[in-house]
Amino acid sequence: MQAWTERVPLRHASPSPQAARLREPQGGDELALGGVDTRAAVQLLDRLFDDAPPGGAGALSASDRDGLLAALHRALWGDRIVSSLDCGACGEPYDLSFELSALQRQLHRQAPPAPVIAARTLDDDGARLVLPNAAEEDAAALLGAEEGGAQLLASIAPQPSAGRAAVCARLDVLAPLIDVELETHCAECGAMQLARFDVQSFVLQRLLDERESVLGEVHALASGYGWSLQDIVSLPRSLRRSLVQRLGGGPAAFG
Ligand SMILES: [Zn+2]
């Protein structure tokens, strides 16, 4: 299978430089997606790796997973994010629009990268920070914000030289998530409001929202060519869509 996304640096995977690419999703990958949580993200990335890193997506830091999901968005829909908001002041709808790559550059420009001394382990000026893997994030999430947060912190910095807030602040700059609050301004009245953008839930929700059109395309190809379901859901997404267009039927509006 041909690699399809850009080469994405895995900044925390290993002391030696690592990178990964994803292949184009097939219908089977799109239809297998079951949610927008970390587990769903790990499952999707593991299906799409061209050459999976050791341990797969579950062994990566959340920051590295977000980088892969951003690359997936660029390959599927482009670099520009456009989202519609309702103004809290005047009630009118307006668009939030920005470039994902510019946001990523801004997040990674906050601090020089810390040396990686082992998988997900950073040397922050002599202080060791161990970034959680997906299973550790999941286990902490089950415990709730307070207890889960404390457990995560204990595994990230077993002997913190500073308080919890200081460790969290270092994590935000050394292993940033693409999960930010953006300052937006209403086009109608100019009021400022903060909008949360989380690349994981945004990309996965966008794929989930396409589920009906994927099923429509599968149906059109099954009706038009008489191919088996297995054959159709094994087609790369772009080829499936081109074939549906050539049939002249099926869903014509591809978002
Ligand atoms: Zn307004």
Side-chain angles (χ1 to χ4, degrees), residues 9 32 46 52 58 63-64 72 76 95 107 115 118 132 139 144-145 155 176 202-203 209 211-212 227 229-230 234 244:
D46 278 338
S63 178
D64 281 346
L72 182 63
L76 284 171
D95 281 346
L107 287 169
S155 69
F202 188 86
V203 170
D209 288 345
R211 194 179 178 84
E212 278 305 307
W227 294 340
L229 178 62
Q230 191 50 50
S234 302
V244 170

Side-chain angles (χ1 to χ4, degrees), residues 15-225:
S16 59
Q18 301 278 322
R21 290 180 202 264
L22 304 176
R23 64 164 174 80
E24 184 175 7
Q26 304 166 353
D29 305 312
E30 294 164 283
L31 295 173
L33 182 63
V36 301
D37 57 8
T38 296
R39 193 167 302 191
V42 166
Q43 282 171 359
L44 179 68
L45 292 173
D46 278 338
R47 292 179 72 108
L48 298 183
F49 275 126
D50 180 53
D51 184 11
L60 297 177
S61 69
S63 178
D64 281 346
R65 289 199 313 269
D66 276 5
L68 289 161
L69 291 169
L72 182 63
H73 189 285
R74 268 192 287 283
L76 284 171
W77 304 293
D79 193 36
R80 182 155 288 278
I81 301 284
V82 179
S83 182
S84 188
L85 303 170
D86 287 324
C87 175
C90 73
E92 289 297 315
Y94 66 100
D95 281 346
L96 162 66
S97 168
F98 62 92
E99 279 175 6
L100 198 43
S101 56
L103 174 61
Q104 289 179 275
R105 280 195 299 276
Q106 189 186 328
L107 287 169
H108 285 286
R109 217 185 279 135
Q110 299 176 97
V116 177
I117 49 179
R120 294 189 319 282
T121 307
L122 309 181
D123 174 7
D124 181 23
D125 246 347
R128 178 183 284 238
L129 293 177
V130 187
L131 306 174
N133 63 21
E136 288 160 345
E137 285 176 45
D138 267 350
L142 287 176
L143 294 173
E146 194 57 36
E147 196 184 341
Q151 180 176 304
L152 267 189
L153 191 73
S155 69
I156 292 167
Q159 287 152 339
S161 51
R164 178 174 173 164
V167 173
C168 292
R170 289 304 288 161
L171 283 182
D172 281 348
V173 298
L174 293 175
L177 302 181
I178 311 176
D179 182 354
V180 291
E181 290 213 306
L182 300 166
E183 204 174 281
T184 71
H185 294 273
C186 170
E188 208 61 38
C189 75
M192 193 283 281
Q193 71 179 351
L194 292 173
R196 169 124 183 245
F197 176 76
D198 164 23
V199 77
Q200 176 180 300
S201 55
F202 188 86
V203 170
L204 299 186
Q205 189 60 52
R206 204 161 170 185
L207 278 170
L208 287 176
D209 288 345
E210 289 187 346
R211 194 179 178 84
E212 278 305 307
S213 71
V214 174
L215 290 173
E217 289 159 18
V218 170
H219 174 73
L221 292 179
S223 312
Y225 295 114

